[in-house]
Amino acid sequence: MRRREFITLVGGAAAWPLAARAQQPAMPVIGFLGATSPDTSADNLRAFRQALKESGYVEGETVAIEYRWAENQMDRLPALAAELVRRQVAVIAAIEGPPVAFAAKAATTTIPIVFTVSDDPVRLGLVASLARPGGNLTGINFVSTELVAKRLELLRELVPGAARVAVLVNPAIATNTETTLRDVEPAARAVGLQIQVLNAETSHEIEAAFATIVRERPNALFVASSPYFTSRRIQLVQLAARHAIPATYPGRQYVEVGGLMSYGANLADAFRQIGVYTGRILKGTKPADLPVVQASKFELVINQQTARMLGLTVPPTLLARADEVIE
């Protein structure tokens, strides 16, 4: 063999691995758009990643995830969604409420979007119908804003002497607030309660709301569903404890840090479903062919220690219905 032929042969052999790598499909990229921060959603993120893993997608190995967090600054969401579109992600998981879903929807009409919202996505205009979403969006409906009446009934059962209830809402999430206020007034009348609406969308405004509670002394507090309130749950729970106000919350995260009682969808289960849908879309299923899933697992969680601190006796019937009692 001539020397020139030998060098050509060796050079070609050296290029084989490079050519083989070039032929391998690129790792798909998921865009993850959130309203709050990774700390707020740590448990839910684990459920999301586990569902992806069960679908055959392991972060860093067979799929990449680009995270964008608004850190409770909703005006940042459009720019963050646009970043993910420029990154040419394969699918966007738009979590933590309607503003996130709307930002993703406005950014692209072609990239599949899987959302989580606590209000009716058909009424919001995100999808054409629950069974046949149409377009490039589908997702999970927590229906937490539709549980207002049930939460008030449970609160009245735990605090039977209550006559006036403060309702804390976040006006920055207009759709959630409108639905909560629409439902809470008739629900309160039905169980003989008067309500007082308090607004808060910053930490300072939360403090101001509790100053109003201290001054006007309602018998209990109803905290509405809001990603921002979830991120400030320690502040809310500590203020409720400091001022000895019985409070009901939309999710177990509050009760786990000392809140009195919560009733709402199991968010970890909902995020697991987001992971399932994201995996199916990566495998080629179109969002239009994936019906919007309505949360089916609701849980009542009671913190018995907090109840005792407030001088409340939890009725045995309520304890028997609780999915978890924290001692």
Side-chain angles (χ1 to χ4, degrees), residues 25-78:
M27 185 184 296
V29 180
I30 298 169
F32 196 97
L33 184 62
T36 57
S37 66
D39 293 339
T40 299
S41 302
D43 291 340
N44 298 331
L45 282 172
R46 278 192 287 272
F48 172 76
R49 294 186 186 111
Q50 180 60 33
L52 278 178
K53 183 178 180 180
E54 291 169 2
S55 300
Y57 297 98
V58 179
E59 184 177 8
E61 296 180 15
T62 55
V63 71
I65 304 179
E66 288 277 342
Y67 296 95
R68 297 292 185 275
W69 298 96
E71 302 288 346
N72 296 308
Q73 299 175 48
M74 299 304 171
D75 58 347
R76 295 181 58 201
L77 287 168

Side-chain angles (χ1 to χ4, degrees), residues 294-313:
Q294 291 192 288
S296 58
K297 290 180 67 175
F298 302 97
E299 51 187 7
L300 170 62
V301 184
I302 298 171
N303 192 312
Q304 183 76 286
Q305 184 178 5
T306 301
R308 285 193 292 266
M309 182 190 71
L310 293 169
L312 296 172
T313 300

